[in-house]
Amino acid sequence: MKLTLKAATAAVSLLAISGNAFAEGDPAKGEKVFRKCTACHMVGEKAKNRVGPVLTGVVGRKAGTAEGYKYSKLNQAAGEAGLEWTEENLIAYLPDPSGFLKKYLKENDAADKAKGRSKMVYKLKKEDERKDVVAYLKTFSKEPATN
């Protein structure tokens, strides 16, 4: 009985850890990483669309829906196919925006719409920086921060 209880406790702990795998980023470090993004994006109460959309509330938002921003057809199609900007999806999107959207559309029976490019040309390659910037963006979302 004790062994089974220990195994169950270990399994629950492992699930809890893996469930937070995408919440590992450091918002303070992410704020610094986000400086690379400010040429195109703004975040916060008084943010406005620039070359890219406002990222306030992006975590948990449906793709292609920032008010007043004209998205690429590729991004619009992904939103119409159900793409939501979860932490996991943002982390996967940032190193290759167009590639991520095309893959998403193909995996969600919308391969015929997987054409064109995302307007986002910057690629954030380092995983730790992606996690940090997503943790930072999450501080501007409706969801409570997990860090």
Side-chain angles (χ1 to χ4, degrees), residues 11-69:
V12 169
S13 297
L14 182 60
L15 284 173
I17 291 168
S18 65
N20 289 327
F22 294 101
E24 292 176 359
D26 180 335
K29 288 180 182 176
E31 183 176 12
K32 292 176 185 170
V33 174
F34 187 75
R35 291 179 189 151
K36 298 176 184 180
C37 311
T38 59
C40 298
H41 296 283
M42 291 181 74
V43 68
E45 264 186 60
K46 297 182 181 184
K48 295 181 178 160
N49 292 321
R50 289 184 169 173
V51 174
V54 167
L55 296 180
T56 305
V58 70
V59 179
R61 183 167 71 203
K62 184 178 177 183
T65 62
E67 190 174 325
Y69 185 75

Side-chain angles (χ1 to χ4, degrees), residues 68-113:
Y69 185 75
K70 185 171 168 61
Y71 286 91
S72 68
K73 289 181 182 180
L74 184 62
N75 200 306
Q76 289 174 5
E80 290 166 6
L83 177 61
E84 182 179 317
W85 290 124
T86 62
E87 291 175 69
E88 179 180 19
N89 284 337
L90 284 165
I91 291 167
Y93 170 83
L94 290 170
D96 183 9
S98 293
F100 174 85
L101 295 173
K102 288 177 181 181
K103 181 179 176 186
Y104 180 86
L105 288 165
K106 288 175 184 173
E107 290 174 352
N108 288 278
D109 299 322
D112 59 318
K113 295 182 181 182

